[in-house]
């Protein structure tokens, strides 16, 4: 009998697996792909946000702030790169400055260090900013990581701790019984006391295998332009526009690998099938970026990619035990700031939900 099955080797499942293996030996991770981090975790901006963006009293705010505080140490523990490059939110006009005022206020409430700069001050630290911008908010704690590397390191270390990882093994059915779950994959049948569903874009389908689905996922696509590592950097920091209701907007992002990203856009879609990225949407992103930052060497574009954000109606993370199927835990709707939040979510739910659940399951059937 397996103690805990974790479904999905994205950054969420991998870090949950790692945290669990620190305290329980008999933990198994199942991933349908041949490697970790090939889905949402491998297709995003890879930013450890400062924590001032999510609305107050949300799981996104709670875990982003906790994650930001613990990330540097966590990255050391996992031997994965972490770089505190900082970020600027750029206001193009006086109306947008009101949003910077609000973010500044929120940063104060959340004890996040930020600095407000005028146009002149901002241009002196990032000379390629568009000279017409009005003001910026500097968020020096913002960092970048490589979420795919982080996930594979978490799994490696989880295996060293005694856990087991199964790749190219897809969960196809889960039958709850009184004492355990009977979990069927494309390769075999397993019995587990606890199941933790971290299936990303498929998390609603996994929950529906055991009982009534408590949420439906929707998808928001985000496309990117990738610039060669040979492209001269046009900014040292991440450059954000003032966010809109659709999200953080089109950014300029230096990455750990030395490539720079321009993107993502945000388009609600009915599925997560990858389609070619059209020049029209690339041109639209370039137009948006040009309002913030000049001299981007688009001729050194080497790639384009798309990521899909799994979303739920209230725009927050879903982290719960199924209301009518005890011991089945779901972590879903983990869109941004999921990378920034992952270590905090993993550590917190391990200690407050999953391990107490395992203890109670073992006591019930002593
Ligand atoms: C465009 C975009 C930009 C973003 N930018 C940022 C950012 O800058 N900062 C930030 O903090 N967050 C960002 N995010 C959010 C972040 O990428 C996600 O929160 C995070 O990657 C979610 O990880 P996950 O483990 O939940 O999902 P995934 O990485 O999708 O992992 C789920 C895994 O489950 C596996 N799986 C599914 N079904 C099964 C099954 N039946 N059997 C076995 N395995 C299964 C899948 O193969 C997959 O590997 C962004 C997201 C997008 C799309």
């Amino acid at each position: 009998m397996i103690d805990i099955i974790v479904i999905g080797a994205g950054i969420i499942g991998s870090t949950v697996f790692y945290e669990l293996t620190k305290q329980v030996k008999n933990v198994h991770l199942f991933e349908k792909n041949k490697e970790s981090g090939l889905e949402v975790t491998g297709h995003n901006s890879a930013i450890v946000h400062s924590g001032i963006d999510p609305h107050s009293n949300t799981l996104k705010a709670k875990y982003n702030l906790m994650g930001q505080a613990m990330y540097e140490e966590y990255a050391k523990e996992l031997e994965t790169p972490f770089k505190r490059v900082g970020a600027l939110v750029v206001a193009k006009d006086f109306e947008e400055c009101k949003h910077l005022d609000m973010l500044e206020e929120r940063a104060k409430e959340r004890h996040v260090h930020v600095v407000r700069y005028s146009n002149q001050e901002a241009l002196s630290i990032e000379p390629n900013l568009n000279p017409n911008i009005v003001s910026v908010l500097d968020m020096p704690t913002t960092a970048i990581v490589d979420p795919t590397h982080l996930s594979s390191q978490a799994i490696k270390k989880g295996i060293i701790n005694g856990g087991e990882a199964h790749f190219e093994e897809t969960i196809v059915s889960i039958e709850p019984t009184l004492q355990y779950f009977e979990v069927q994959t494309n390769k075999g049948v397993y019995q587990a006391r606890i199941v933790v569903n971290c299936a990303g874009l498929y998390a609603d389908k996994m929950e529906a295998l055991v009982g009534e689905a408590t949420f439906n996922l929707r998808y928001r696509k985000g496309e990117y332009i990738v610039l060669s590592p040979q492209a001269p950097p046009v900014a040292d920091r991440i450059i954000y526009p003032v966010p809109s209701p659709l999200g953080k907007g089109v950014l300029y992002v230096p990455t750990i690998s030395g490539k720079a990203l321009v993107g993502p856009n945000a388009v609600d879609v009915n599925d997560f099938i990858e389609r070619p990225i059209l020049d029209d949407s690339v041109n639209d992103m370039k137009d948006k970026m040009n309002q913030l930052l000049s001299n981007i060497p688009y001729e050194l574009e080497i790639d384009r990619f798309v990521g899909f954000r799994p979303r739920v109606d209230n725009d927050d993370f879903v982290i719960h035990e199924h209301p009518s199927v005890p011991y089945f835990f779901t972590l879903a709707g983990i869109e941004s700031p999921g990378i920034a939040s992952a270590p905090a979510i993993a550590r917190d739910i391990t200690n407050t939900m999953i391990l107490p659940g395992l203890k109670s399951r073992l006591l019930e059937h002593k």
Side-chain angles (χ1 to χ4, degrees):
M1 170 86 67
I2 295 173
D3 279 331
I4 304 169
I5 280 183
V6 180
I7 308 172
I11 195 166
I12 299 296
S14 306
T15 50
V16 166
F17 171 70
Y18 172 57
E19 286 300 319
L20 286 169
T21 60
K22 289 178 181 174
Q23 302 188 61
V24 183
K25 291 284 164 267
N26 195 358
V27 185
H28 288 229
L29 174 69
F30 287 83
E31 168 55 52
K32 66 182 171 56
N33 295 322
K34 66 177 191 317
E35 285 165 31
S36 55
L38 293 184
E39 302 217 339
V40 189
T41 295
H43 300 87
N44 56 67
S45 311
I47 302 171
V48 180
H49 299 287
S50 70
I52 62 174
D53 204 41
H55 292 296
S56 298
N57 304 316
T58 58
L59 292 175
K60 286 182 178 177
K62 169 181 165 177
Y63 287 120
N64 189 163
L65 287 165
M66 282 170 66
Q68 167 63 237
M70 64 191 277
Y71 233 104
E72 195 163 358
E73 269 309 302
Y74 206 75
K76 271 190 205 137
E77 184 176 320
L78 289 181
E79 298 174 273
T80 191
F82 170 91
K83 218 169 155 193
R84 222 181 265 291
V85 290
L88 303 180
V89 193
V90 178
K92 302 188 292 298
D93 53 40
F94 288 99
E95 198 49 40
E96 289 193 347
C97 286
K98 290 185 197 154
H99 196 90
L100 296 195
D101 296 341
M102 183 280 286
L103 286 177
E104 210 176 346
E105 198 49 43
R106 207 188 257 166
K108 215 179 284 169
E109 284 162 23
R110 296 183 186 176
H111 309 288
V112 176
H113 176 55
V114 296
V115 188
R116 185 73 173 263
Y117 291 130
S118 66
N119 162 298
Q120 284 304 305
E121 290 166 324
L123 281 158
S124 73
I125 56 166
E126 289 293 0
N128 285 314
L129 284 173
N130 185 319
N132 298 325
I133 60 133
V134 177
S135 176
V136 308
L137 189 68
D138 185 7
M139 304 179 294
T141 55
T142 304
I144 51 173
V145 289
D146 176 343
T148 304
H149 186 258
L150 190 153
S151 305
S152 72
Q153 288 293 100
I155 297 170
K156 263 190 212 154
K157 296 202 178 249
I159 293 170
I160 293 169
N161 289 345
E164 231 177 274
H166 306 242
F167 288 95
E168 295 184 294
E169 193 157 357
T170 308
I171 306 289
V172 292
S173 81
I174 307 172
E175 190 63 44
T177 72
L178 269 184
Q179 300 184 11
Y180 55 83
F181 294 93
E182 184 142 301
V183 177
Q184 190 172 352
T185 72
N186 57 332
K187 293 185 178 166
V189 179
Y190 304 83
Q191 290 165 354
R193 295 187 168 92
I194 303 262
V195 174
V196 188
N197 165 21
C198 308
L201 294 161
Y202 304 81
D204 51 349
K205 308 206 170 45
M206 289 298 106
E207 197 183 70
L209 291 177
V210 295
E212 210 172 309
T214 59
F215 61 91
N216 285 314
L217 288 180
R218 294 179 285 110
Y219 318 106
R220 183 170 286 168
K221 149 177 110 161
E223 295 166 319
Y224 291 87
I225 306 164
V226 185
L227 301 176
S228 157
Q230 270 73 53
V234 283
D236 293 331
R237 297 163 182 77
I238 298 158
I239 306 295
Y240 293 85
V242 162
S244 79
L246 279 179
K248 294 182 187 71
V250 176
L251 326 172
Y252 174 86
V253 194
T255 69
I256 290 288
S257 67
K259 297 169 192 159
L261 305 178
V262 174
N265 53 12
V267 181
D268 287 328
V269 286
N270 294 324
D271 58 46
F272 47 88
I273 297 169
E274 267 192 49
R275 297 181 172 87
I277 299 176
L278 302 176
D279 284 341
D280 275 357
S281 64
V282 165
N283 289 335
D284 184 55
M285 288 194 282
K286 288 180 182 173
D287 286 345
K288 290 195 169 107
M289 196 73 249
N290 289 341
Q291 294 174 31
L292 310 182
L293 198 59
S294 317
N295 301 323
I296 299 179
Y298 288 114
E299 67 282 6
L300 294 178
E301 174 184 324
I302 50 166
D303 201 4
R304 294 175 183 179
F305 72 86
V306 60
F308 294 92
R309 307 162 176 95
R311 324 190 56 244
V312 294
D313 284 336
N314 74 353
D315 273 348
D316 204 2
F317 299 154
V318 175
I319 298 181
H320 68 192
E321 184 172 9
H322 192 286
S324 52
V325 186
Y327 309 116
F328 185 88
F329 297 92
T330 288
L331 290 80
I334 312 284
E335 54 173 341
S336 188
I339 302 296
S341 305
I345 295 176
R347 195 166 284 173
D348 192 46
I349 70 139
T350 290
N351 291 315
T352 62
M353 293 173 79
I354 307 176
L355 293 183
L358 179 62
K359 207 166 155 191
S360 140
R361 183 72 127 178
L362 288 168
L363 280 174
E364 258 177 31
H365 301 291
K366 233 179 168 178

